[in-house]
């Protein structure tokens, strides 16, 4: 099983249940599971299984879902079973450190210089692909009033609204059936990030996009042959993806300055991670030794030349699709 401290319960798929526990009768359960994207999943049932670990023996609940990946060892079991954490955390590796040659550094600097468009300031705009969100057929529009903002934060919130409008991320609207309240989050530098509280409006009636994020095993498999690695951080990732016109009305926020509509994919929509991941995998399709996880892209290669070749391909692809990244180069 895969140890997952983020999972409250221990879970297996229907396929694994039929392969290993079909002799155990499924019992009904009122438990409702919730994924990282906010999607609710009703288990098919629960079985009581005998669990043996070291000298410990227990009979514990194992929940069965229609679809799923590796069996998950969740926190409910961790409360009953004492694991040998020291051995789990141990990692033995032999690392050979090799200094970058001058020619490699020169090649890298040239690649970064040629990719100047990718590292420009401002928000990029993903070309050829737009995001769409779809609601359930019986979805009823919800309009929430603007929440009170502390007086000390009001100027910062208003400045952020103005900035987002100037950059085309928000558009002022006079009327909307949908209106989501905002939550201003103070960042480390004192500025604010505006977050829509979509869990009270759109998310409960959203037909969530079904697209899996890569598992850690997939990432290791794709990058396992690498010796050196580059990581690209996409600037304000979701906001680089435009929304289909038909979806913008669902992304209306209510503020102290009135109603604004998002023109870009926004953090807080339950489908956003899946929509963005699917788009990025289309953008990077065919480039070897490259793995994307939401706004982070990791590139490697079996040697320095292959690594730099892959990095150059990724940067060219980002440029072709109009995407922007943060530049922070440490040789």
């Amino acid at each position: 099983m895969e140890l997952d401290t983020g999972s409250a319960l221990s879970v297996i798929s229907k396929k694994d249940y039929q392969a290993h526990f079909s002799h155990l009768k499924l019992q009904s359960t009122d438990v409702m599971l919730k994924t990282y994207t906010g999607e609710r999943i009703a288990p098919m049932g629960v079985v009581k299984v005998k669990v043996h670990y070291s000298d410990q023996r227990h009979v514990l609940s194992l929940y069965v879902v229609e679809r799923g990946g590796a069996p998950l060892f969740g926190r409910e079991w961790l409360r009953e079973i004492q694991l040998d954490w020291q051995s789990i955390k141990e990692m033995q590796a032999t690392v050979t450190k090799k200094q970058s040659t001058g020619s490699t550094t020169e090649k890298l600097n040239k690649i970064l210089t040629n990719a100047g468009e990718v590292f420009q300031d401002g928000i990029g705009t993903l070309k050829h692909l737009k995001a769409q969100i779809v609601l359930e057929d019986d979805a009823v529009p919800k309009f929430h009033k603007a929440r009170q903002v502390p007086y000390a934060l009001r100027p910062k919130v208003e400045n952020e609204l103005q900035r987002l409008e100037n950059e085309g991320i928000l558009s002022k609207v006079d009327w909307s059936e949908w209106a989501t309240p905002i939550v201003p989050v103070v960042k480390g530098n004192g500025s604010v990030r505006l977050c829509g509280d979509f869990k009270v409006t759109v998310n409960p009636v959203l037909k969530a996009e079904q697209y899996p994020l890569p598992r850690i095993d997939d990432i290791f498999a794709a990058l396992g042959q690498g010796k050196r690695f580059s990581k690209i951080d996409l600037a304000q990732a979701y906001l680089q993806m435009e929304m289909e016109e038909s979806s913008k009305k669902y992304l209306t926020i209510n503020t102290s300055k009135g109603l604004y509509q998002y023109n870009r994919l926004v953090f807080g929509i339950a489908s956003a991670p899946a929509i963005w991941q699917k788009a990025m995998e289309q953008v990077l399709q065919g480039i070897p030794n490259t793995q994307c996880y939401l706004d982070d892209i990791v590139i490697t290669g079996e040697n320095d030349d292959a690594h730099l070749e892959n990095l150059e391909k990724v940067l060219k692809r980002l440029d072709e699709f109009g995407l922007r990244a943060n530049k922070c180069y440490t040789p």
Side-chain angles (χ1 to χ4, degrees):
M1 302 182 76
E2 187 173 293
L3 182 61
D4 186 356
T5 56
S7 177
L9 305 175
S10 295
V11 180
I12 62 169
S13 65
K14 176 183 177 182
K15 180 180 178 182
D16 285 330
Y17 164 72
Q18 292 174 336
H20 303 289
F21 301 108
S22 58
H23 60 286
L24 299 178
K25 184 178 179 181
L26 272 177
Q27 302 173 23
S28 61
T29 176
D30 295 328
V31 166
M32 184 66 69
L33 303 177
K34 190 175 181 181
T35 69
Y36 60 89
T37 62
E39 178 189 3
R40 294 183 177 275
I41 298 176
M44 297 173 57
V46 59
V47 291
K48 295 291 185 179
V49 293
K50 296 177 181 177
V51 182
H52 178 206
Y53 177 82
S54 187
D55 58 349
Q56 304 171 64
R57 296 178 183 273
H58 299 275
V59 177
L60 302 174
S61 297
L62 184 59
Y63 291 82
V64 181
V65 295
E66 184 74 29
R67 297 187 300 273
L72 299 182
F73 187 124
R75 295 195 303 273
E76 185 181 48
W77 283 21
L78 285 173
R79 285 192 283 269
E80 301 294 334
I81 298 174
Q82 300 301 311
L83 296 180
D84 182 0
W85 288 103
Q86 184 173 352
S87 65
I88 290 173
K89 293 178 180 179
E90 269 185 4
M91 180 181 291
Q92 294 183 352
T94 302
V95 179
T96 302
K97 188 173 182 181
K98 182 180 178 182
Q99 294 298 322
S100 238
T101 64
S103 60
T104 298
T105 303
E106 290 172 7
K107 289 178 182 177
L108 177 58
N109 287 330
K110 184 177 179 180
I111 290 171
L112 295 178
T113 300
N114 292 339
E117 291 286 329
V118 174
F119 297 113
Q120 281 187 339
D121 293 334
I123 300 292
T125 301
L126 178 61
K127 301 175 183 177
H128 316 304
L129 298 169
K130 290 187 177 183
Q132 181 180 32
I133 58 175
V134 180
L135 305 189
E136 295 173 356
D137 296 335
D138 58 351
V140 177
K142 293 183 180 179
F143 189 101
H144 286 261
K145 294 181 179 179
R147 291 175 182 165
Q148 289 294 323
V149 175
Y151 288 108
L153 289 182
R154 284 188 182 181
K156 294 181 178 181
V157 169
E158 292 178 0
N159 288 339
E160 181 65 5
L161 287 170
Q162 189 62 55
R163 183 187 72 82
L164 293 173
E165 186 177 10
N166 291 343
E167 293 189 5
I169 294 170
L170 289 178
S171 293
K172 199 86 167 61
V173 293
D174 297 323
W175 179 89
S176 176
E177 287 186 309
W178 293 85
T180 297
I182 62 169
V183 180
V185 178
V186 181
K187 297 192 285 188
N189 61 4
S191 62
V192 297
R193 176 185 289 113
L194 302 183
C195 301
D197 189 8
F198 293 102
K199 69 176 181 292
V200 300
T201 54
V202 175
N203 284 348
V205 292
L206 184 67
K207 289 184 178 179
E209 180 89 10
Q210 300 297 319
Y211 196 85
L213 296 181
R215 298 174 50 216
I216 191 67
D217 292 343
D218 301 327
I219 295 174
F220 285 158
L223 306 175
Q225 302 301 314
K227 298 294 189 297
R228 297 181 187 275
F229 300 86
S230 297
K231 184 171 81 71
I232 296 176
D233 175 35
L234 295 167
Q236 303 184 64
Y238 297 172
L239 292 179
Q240 299 196 53
M241 190 172 192
E242 292 182 303
M243 296 298 302
E244 292 283 0
E245 196 63 37
S246 61
S247 298
K248 293 180 181 179
K249 60 185 178 183
Y250 304 128
L251 305 184
T252 304
I253 55 174
N254 206 346
T255 76
S256 57
K257 292 187 66 178
L259 299 173
Y260 290 84
Q261 196 174 83
Y262 271 99
N263 301 313
R264 305 291 184 101
L265 182 63
V266 60
F267 179 82
I269 292 294
S271 289
I275 292 172
W276 179 257
Q277 184 70 31
K278 182 179 180 180
M280 286 309 302
E281 291 192 6
Q282 291 181 56
V283 169
L284 300 172
Q285 184 176 1
I287 302 178
N289 300 121
T290 300
Q291 193 71 36
C292 178
Y293 188 91
L294 297 178
D295 58 350
D296 287 328
I297 305 172
V298 181
I299 307 106
T300 189
E302 62 270 17
N303 53 50
D304 283 353
D305 288 339
H307 172 205
L308 293 179
E309 183 180 346
N310 293 334
L311 175 61
E312 186 173 23
K313 288 178 180 177
V314 169
L315 291 172
K316 284 183 177 179
R317 194 72 61 83
L318 296 181
D319 185 31
E320 290 170 8
F321 278 84
L323 292 169
R324 301 277 176 84
N326 297 313
K327 186 174 181 180
C328 181
Y329 165 48
T330 302

